Each structure stands twice: as C-alpha cells, then as structure tokens.
Amino acid sequence: MALSGIQIFKLTPKKNCKECGLPTCMAFSMKVASGAKDISECPHMSEDALAQLSEATAPPMKTIKVGAGESEHSLGGETVLYRHEKTFVSKTLYAAKICSCMDDAEIDAALAAVPVVDYERIGERMYTEMIYVNEKPGTDPAKYAEIAKKAAAVRPVILGCKEEAAAKAALDAIADTKPVLNGADASNYEAMSKLAADAGVVLGVSGASVEELYDTVAALEKLGNKNLILDVTMDSIKATFEAAVLVRRTALKDGDRTFGYPSIVNVAALADDAVMQQALVSLFTVKYGSIVVIDKMDYATALPLYGLRQNLFTDPQKPMKVQPGIYPINGADENSVCITTVDFALTYFLVSGELERSGVPCNLLISDAGGLSVLTAWAAGKLSSTSIANFIASEVEGKVKNRTLIIPGKVAVLKGDLESKLPGWKIVIAPLEAVQLVKFLKDLQASGEI
C-alpha cells in the first residue's frame, strides 16, 4: 500500500532539506505522497531507505517495458480501476497473431498485412503495436526461431511458447528486440524464468485458474523475477473476463502486489469469428487488457477500436484537440470556400464528416480554441472575431485565394465584427447543426455562391 506523507516523514532523516529548508523535510514528504516528487530526489536518503520507500510508494501495479528503441512500450503503472477516478496510465496495445502451424506463404501474408493499418488521429499514431508468435507444440526450434526473427523485423514480438528448446532458440535470435516470453506456467516456470532472466526480457505467466496463476507468480517472485506480465486467458470468455477483472481488483483495491502486473488477453484463442473477436477486443480494452491479441487488424476492425482506446486512455481533465491549421476536404485547393470551427476533436470529426458527405471542395480552418466546443469557447473568449481574424490573417490569407468564410451558426453574432476585421471577405453563417451542412453546401454550390 502507498505510504502517507506522515509515514514517509517518520522514515526520512532529520536533516534540513536542501529544497524547502524545513528541518524535518515535511514539505518534501507530502510532495512524495501526492505524487509530485519522486522519493529518489531526496539527497539525504541512504540506498536501503530509498529502496524501502520506493517499493512502498510505487503504484500497486508495476510498470513494465517491452520492445526496444523507438518500438519500446510501457505497460502497467495503473492506480485506478475506472478512468473517471483519475486517469489510466498505459494504453492497451494490440497484437496480431501468427502461428508456427501456418505455412511460409501464410506467415508472409500475415506479416505483410500488419503495417497496412497505420494512420494518425488527433496527434496519435494508430497501428498494430506487436505480433504474437504462437508455437504449435512440436515445432522445430530452428523453424520457430526463424518465424520469430521475421516477425521481429516488423514489430516487437510476444513469443507464445511453452517448450524450453523453442523458446531458447527464439530468444537467441531476437533477444536484442526485447520480446515478451509468454511461456511460464506451473509446470515449467523455473526453466522459463531462467531463460527470460538471462535474456533480460519480460516473462509471461499463465495458469489453468486464477488460483494457479497466483501461486505461480508468487513462486516466480521467490526466485527473484518481478519482470512479469500475466496471461489471464482462460478456457472460456466468461472465465477470462472474471480473471482479468479479479487480477486488476486484487492489485488495485486489495493492495496485493502478487497480482500487481500488466496482463495479456489472447482474444484469438477465445473466438474464431472476426466480429466476435472485435467485440472481445473492445471489451478487454475497457476491462483490463494491457496487451490484447487478435488474429488480424484491418481498417474495418481498427477504426472503432482505436477510437475507443483513444477516448479511454486520454486524460479526462484534458479535452482532445486537433492541431490548428488548414484541412482541405474533398480535394479542395486555394480557390475553395473556407469553413471555420473549433479545435475540439468531437466537433472537428462531426463537421469534417458532414463536409465529406456533401462532396463540396472546402478548406476547413481550425484555430486554437482551447479544445472547447463552439458555444463554450465563445463564452470563454477562446472563439471570437479577434481570434478568428488573427488566425486567418497570419495562417490563411497567404495560402488561400477564396474570400468566402462560413462560420458556425451558433456564433452568428460574430458576423458583423468579422466583416469589419476581415475587409474583402464575405462572411456566411452556417446552420446550427453539423448534420444540416450537406444540404446547405450543396444549395450554395448550386446557386453559384461558392
């Protein structure tokens, strides 16, 4: 359990703090307890005291690193069960699955499909972060290592392998990429732990039940291995859901750090149907997969899942914003009509979607409105005739020849001021709702006004 400021204060040396000057370091202790400072920043602590306090003040779920270099990802570090309590720390990663049971052509096709889904949404890259390489029992270790090597050239790898010889061969081939060795269970945890420790990689642990998983993790911790991830995939969807929730609640609510590790959910092992897999990925993105494995990710699957994930793993106290700029829609060029709205991500996607449906070429102008909706930004002074005029003068006029500007209908009151601040521009008021934009633009185009 996390220590309070008073508890930390009692364990700190009675010296003047170089930062605050207090003889008891009380201010520093309170900052550590609130998360504003790290205990390691205290200049007076001995190594033993730092180790004791760092363990006591660490999040109930350990933070684990997987992958290497630019492909390194953080998992875990969570402190709450529900996003609205505070925020989630490490987003769920998605892994596409391949298997040593496939022939070479199938493996090559599956690996080639992984990079296809790769796009940006609100400043975040959306792509399949990992590849799960499943080992069919009895696979030749050299063949398994070769498949792992192919996969590691595309994305960081999870080695789904319980046979020691195959796991060793694969680790010898790709240990420098820092894969996850997802192969430990009650029958082989000592051998797998040694392989993972020698290679310096994260060890995945599974069990036939939650109780067996708990006992195996406890045994691994006694061996000194705490670089773990828990595979909570059971023999049914119901049992897997129960395990995923129980493991997270045990760590965060009960304070039992034996279950204080990130988790893997292998959806590909729970269902064959692609639609069911997509539904399960969404379920375990919310409850509580750190890595979720799916057979494959295509755009039809990815678009709703990445939207869900992004909404879930952004700070609820910070609105999602799009980057200010000029967004050409429907093949717009410098002669196309201009439409402006705020940078609140939901508003942007609603408006841009309706503009695309209209088929009318237009330049969507997004200025900095603090990530607020139209009326909220206007009431807060973030969306005003001055802010719009300044943005157009500095960022738009030199790039766009068209001088017709359509403004949101909910701020029609800005029309007069904009006409005075933007001489030469024709200001047009849009409808009140985004869904009305399609007919509105088509009518303007038919009348020759744009």
Side-chain angles (χ1 to χ4, degrees):
M1 299 290 287
L3 297 183
S4 69
I6 297 296
Q7 289 170 310
I8 296 171
F9 157 64
K10 289 178 179 179
L11 292 172
T12 52
K14 302 301 184 284
K15 297 181 180 180
N16 289 339
C17 179
K18 293 180 181 178
E19 178 178 320
C20 61
L22 295 179
T24 59
C25 252
M26 187 64 187
F28 182 80
S29 299
M30 294 305 295
K31 287 182 179 180
V32 172
S34 67
K37 288 283 186 181
D38 189 276
I39 190 66
S40 63
E41 296 179 39
C42 177
H44 306 305
M45 302 294 292
S46 68
E47 289 186 8
D48 289 343
L50 277 175
Q52 179 186 355
L53 286 171
S54 294
E55 177 73 18
T57 58
M61 178 180 290
K62 192 175 178 66
T63 299
I64 299 294
K65 302 283 188 181
V66 297
E70 294 182 356
S71 296
E72 183 180 80
H73 300 283
S74 293
L75 302 171
E78 305 297 346
T79 59
V80 294
L81 282 175
Y82 306 105
R83 174 181 178 267
H84 63 265
E85 293 180 87
K86 187 177 180 182
T87 186
F88 289 151
V89 177
S90 301
K91 69 182 180 184
T92 299
L93 303 183
Y94 297 139
K97 179 184 175 184
I98 62 173
C99 180
S100 62
C101 60
M102 297 175 172
D103 61 36
D104 290 343
E106 289 176 314
I107 290 171
D108 291 343
L111 292 177
V114 170
V116 170
V117 177
D118 195 339
Y119 64 97
E120 187 173 300
R121 183 179 188 268
I122 320 178
E124 183 180 343
R125 184 184 174 198
M126 306 292 178
Y127 67 108
T128 306
E129 288 91 357
M130 303 190 78
I131 298 174
Y132 191 96
V133 183
N134 191 54
E135 179 230 5
K136 179 184 177 182
T139 299
D140 176 53
K143 179 184 176 182
Y144 184 67
E146 186 61 32
I147 296 170
K149 194 172 180 180
K150 279 185 180 181
V154 180
R155 293 285 190 268
V157 166
I158 304 165
L159 298 170
C161 176
K162 293 184 179 294
E163 296 188 358
E164 185 178 352
K168 185 178 187 309
L171 286 175
D172 287 344
I174 64 167
D176 59 328
T177 67
K178 298 301 176 186
V180 175
L181 173 57
N182 187 32
D185 59 23
S187 68
N188 66 359
Y189 68 88
E190 291 186 70
M192 287 294 175
S193 180
K194 185 177 187 311
L195 284 177
D198 290 346
V201 302
V202 176
L203 178 64
V205 192
S206 63
S209 65
V210 174
E211 293 77 12
E212 183 179 293
L213 177 62
Y214 185 93
D215 292 342
T216 305
V217 173
L220 284 163
E221 289 184 330
K222 286 182 180 179
L223 294 176
N225 192 344
K226 294 187 177 182
N227 194 22
L228 307 174
I229 187 167
L230 312 184
D231 189 336
V232 297
T233 312
M234 299 294 167
D235 58 2
S236 70
I237 295 171
K238 180 177 182 290
T240 301
F241 179 77
E242 290 174 345
V245 174
L246 182 59
V247 163
R248 183 67 59 97
R249 289 188 64 87
T250 300
L252 270 56
K253 290 299 183 185
D254 299 341
D256 190 336
R257 291 177 184 252
T258 302
F259 269 168
Y261 297 96
S263 60
I264 295 176
V265 182
N266 191 345
V267 163
L270 295 174
D272 295 326
D273 181 73
V275 176
M276 176 57 80
Q277 284 193 20
Q278 184 176 18
L280 292 176
V281 173
S282 66
L283 170 65
F284 288 110
T285 298
V286 177
K287 301 278 187 183
Y288 289 105
S290 302
I291 300 173
V292 180
V293 182
I294 188 172
D295 273 333
K296 66 177 181 177
M297 189 78 76
D298 54 26
Y299 271 105
T301 304
L303 291 173
L305 289 178
Y306 289 132
L308 169 68
R309 184 179 73 175
Q310 190 170 47
N311 288 335
L312 188 64
F313 287 92
T314 50
D315 189 336
Q317 304 302 319
K318 297 178 182 179
M320 288 195 293
K321 301 164 54 176
V322 296
Q323 187 71 22
I326 304 172
Y327 292 81
I329 293 176
N330 297 328
D333 58 22
E334 60 184 9
N335 296 308
S336 301
V337 65
C338 298
I339 300 175
T340 189
T341 191
V342 291
D343 58 349
F344 178 42
L346 179 58
T347 299
Y348 167 82
F349 284 113
L350 286 173
V351 171
S352 62
E354 296 302 325
L355 296 181
E356 288 175 0
R357 280 206 313 126
S358 75
V360 177
C362 49
N363 290 305
L364 181 56
L365 311 182
I366 302 295
S367 58
D368 186 357
L372 304 175
S373 63
V374 171
L375 284 179
T376 307
W378 174 71
K382 299 285 188 179
L383 179 68
S384 64
S385 58
T386 300
S387 68
I388 294 172
N390 288 343
F391 176 73
I392 288 176
S394 62
E395 302 294 334
V396 178
E397 285 189 328
K399 301 172 184 176
V400 174
K401 293 180 179 178
N402 189 293
R403 290 297 182 262
T404 297
L405 175 65
I406 301 173
I407 65 173
K410 291 180 179 178
V411 288
V413 67
L414 301 179
K415 183 177 187 295
D417 281 348
L418 281 169
E419 287 175 336
S420 64
K421 291 176 179 177
L422 292 172
W425 283 78
K426 177 184 177 182
I427 309 300
V428 178
I429 299 172
L432 293 175
E433 302 297 334
V435 72
Q436 298 171 307
L437 283 171
V438 175
K439 182 178 184 303
F440 173 76
L441 288 172
K442 287 183 175 179
D443 289 347
L444 286 180
Q445 188 181 52
S447 67
E449 294 185 50
I450 59 174

